[in-house]
Amino acid sequence: MYWLVKQDKKKHLWGVIIVTVIAIIGFIVSQTASKNAVMNYKQHQIDAREVEKEQQEVK
């Protein structure tokens, strides 16, 4: 990437574009992963409560 930015004679325009695109993609991936992690955590809590309830009914 550094080589590409140094080769650009038009005020490093390609470098700025590439960094911006990578940052946007990184942000989208991060948000998606966070959303999935929260959903998985909530489902895990629900499953744990169901298991706990079943264990209490058995006793």
Side-chain angles (χ1 to χ4, degrees), residues 20-39:
T20 303
V21 169
I22 290 172
I24 290 170
I25 291 171
F27 179 76
I28 292 169
V29 168
S30 173
Q31 291 299 313
T32 304
S34 295
K35 185 174 150 184
N36 288 340
V38 168
M39 287 175 32

Side-chain angles (χ1 to χ4, degrees), residues 7-52:
Q7 297 300 315
D8 187 13
K9 303 298 182 194
K10 296 179 182 177
K11 297 188 180 187
H12 310 296
L13 180 62
W14 276 112
V16 172
I17 291 171
I18 290 172
V19 169
T20 303
V21 169
I22 290 172
I24 290 170
I25 291 171
F27 179 76
I28 292 169
V29 168
S30 173
Q31 291 299 313
T32 304
S34 295
K35 185 174 150 184
N36 288 340
V38 168
M39 287 175 32
N40 288 341
Y41 178 72
K42 288 180 180 179
Q43 186 62 44
H44 175 71
Q45 286 181 324
I46 292 168
D47 293 343
R49 286 184 193 131
E50 289 175 359
V51 168
E52 185 177 310

